[in-house]
Amino acid sequence: MSIDSLNKKILKCLQQNARQSNAEIGRQVGVSSPAVSERIKKMEDLGVIEDYKTIVSPFELGYQFKAIITLRAFMGKLKPFLEKVKTYDEVINCYRITGDENIVMEVVLKNQKHLEQFIDQLIIYGESKTQIVLSRVVKHKEIKPIE
């Protein structure tokens, strides 16, 4: 399935508001609700659409810190860490990366003591560096399909 101009329009509608109905999307792009539904289903099946989420403010839920933590894994510790990181409630995003570090994580923490305890859990896997997030500059931009 190619991402034709109609699929691009549908994706744009979903990225702007994934809660709108297929009928509303159909009105915006000029096709029927069943046609929108079929195209969305195909894009989901092909992995073009990965997920639908509600993005919640961690600060409104009582978390005082958001941090970016990089990890340079010790020899033989990367694979065990890749399994363990999936169990950490604090980690909201985690990426394996190139460069001096192997991992970059976005984490939310209740307070300074929680941050210290979380960093202590990482010590057995490697050397970590922590940066406290002060504010978000770009908010979940829509991804434009490549022309």
Side-chain angles (χ1 to χ4, degrees):
M1 172 187 192
S2 67
I3 304 300
D4 62 15
S5 63
L6 182 55
N7 285 342
K8 289 176 185 178
K9 289 177 186 175
I10 292 170
L11 286 171
K12 184 172 183 164
C13 290
L14 287 171
Q15 287 183 335
Q16 290 172 347
N17 179 4
R19 293 183 62 181
Q20 61 188 314
S21 69
N22 290 342
E24 177 57 32
I25 294 170
R27 280 190 286 280
Q28 292 176 46
V29 302
V31 296
S32 69
S33 176
V36 169
S37 179
E38 182 180 326
R39 284 175 173 264
I40 289 173
K41 176 73 171 117
K42 283 181 183 177
M43 288 190 283
E44 289 170 345
D45 291 346
L46 291 170
V48 174
I49 298 172
E50 292 182 352
D51 207 352
Y52 300 91
K53 296 183 189 254
T54 299
I55 299 169
V56 178
S57 167
F59 304 107
E60 296 301 321
L61 295 178
Y63 293 95
Q64 293 180 12
F65 287 103
K66 184 182 272 191
I68 304 298
I69 300 177
T70 57
L71 181 75
R72 181 178 186 168
F74 295 141
M75 185 69 68
K77 293 292 186 172
L78 181 60
K79 286 188 179 184
F81 178 78
L82 293 175
E83 288 305 312
K84 182 65 175 172
V85 71
K86 296 172 187 173
T87 69
Y88 293 136
D89 292 335
E90 296 89 348
V91 177
I92 57 175
N93 280 304
C94 180
Y95 302 95
R96 189 170 173 186
I97 59 171
T98 61
D100 292 334
E101 285 85 20
N102 308 96
I103 299 292
V104 63
M105 296 172 279
E106 182 180 5
V107 301
V108 292
L109 304 136
K110 294 178 224 169
N111 51 40
Q112 188 173 346
K113 183 73 173 167
H114 188 191
L115 172 61
E116 180 181 6
Q117 291 167 344
F118 183 74
I119 291 170
D120 287 348
Q121 292 179 66
L122 301 177
I123 290 172
I124 64 168
Y125 296 103
E127 181 181 322
S128 67
K129 293 179 186 173
T130 303
Q131 297 86 32
I132 302 296
V133 173
L134 299 176
S135 64
R136 179 173 27 195
V137 178
V138 176
K139 182 180 179 183
H140 305 286
K141 285 175 70 172
E142 81 181 49
I143 300 172
K144 297 183 186 321
I146 296 173
E147 298 296 326

